């Protein structure tokens, strides 16, 4: 049987690739609300552009975490070889890698939808 070289996976990198997209979404929410509040209070016309720039930047960071997840994904032959093993003490983080990829897609979509929603509605409401 041919042994394929398996890239060692560090727990820190796996955790970072799993949590990067939710953290990017959280930072997006905080920065968007802060920019919106400051922009409306100051009457700054660049508020909408700043929110879109933050949205695109954090969506790109979120997609970089998807790249980190797919870079760790084993080749198909390695996956078949891993499934054929009968050893119980060699856990592979395939479940976390797959879940991280799904979460990255969902959170990247949430970042994009949340950021581009500012194009559809007026930013500041005047309270009379």
């Amino acid at each position: 049987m041919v042994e394929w070289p398996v890239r060692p996976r560090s727990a820190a990198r796996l955790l970072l690739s799993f949590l990067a997209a939710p953290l990017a979404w959280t930072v997006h929410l905080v920065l968007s609300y802060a920019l919106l509040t400051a922009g409306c209070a100051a009457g700054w016309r660049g508020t909408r552009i700043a929110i879109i720039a933050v949205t695109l930047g954090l969506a790109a960071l979120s997609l970089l975490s998807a790249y980190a997840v797919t870079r760790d994904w084993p080749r198909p032959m390695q996956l078949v070889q891993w499934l054929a093993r009968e050893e119980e003490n060699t856990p592979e983080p395939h479940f976390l890698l797959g879940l991280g990829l799904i979460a990255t897609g969902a959170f990247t979509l949430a970042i994009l939808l949340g950021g581009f929603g500012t194009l559809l509605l007026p930013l500041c409401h005047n309270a009379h």
Side-chain angles (χ1 to χ4, degrees):
M1 179 185 271
V2 176
E3 289 290 325
W4 293 95
V6 177
R7 181 183 308 164
R9 294 173 180 90
S10 70
R13 197 168 96 197
L14 179 65
L15 187 62
L16 179 65
S17 66
F18 183 68
L19 294 177
L23 288 174
W25 176 70
T26 303
V27 170
H28 174 259
L29 284 179
V30 170
L31 282 179
S32 293
Y33 282 120
L35 282 171
L36 182 63
T37 302
C40 286
W44 183 42
R45 294 190 179 269
T47 303
R48 196 178 300 264
I49 294 170
I51 290 174
I52 290 172
V54 165
T55 298
L56 291 175
L58 288 168
L61 281 174
S62 180
L63 289 176
L64 278 176
S65 72
Y67 171 72
V69 169
T70 56
R71 193 177 76 177
D72 279 344
W73 201 267
R75 294 186 309 226
M77 194 61 173
Q78 288 177 333
L79 184 60
V80 170
Q81 184 181 19
W82 174 74
L83 291 173
R85 284 189 209 161
E86 294 181 10
E87 303 163 7
E88 294 185 19
N89 294 329
T90 57
E92 292 282 335
H94 296 286
F95 176 73
L96 273 181
L97 290 173
L99 192 59
L101 193 59
I102 292 169
T104 298
F107 281 106
T108 302
L109 183 64
I111 290 169
L112 291 172
L113 290 177
F116 289 116
T118 60
L119 296 174
L120 303 175
L121 300 172
L123 290 179
C124 305
H125 297 288
N126 295 334
H128 294 293

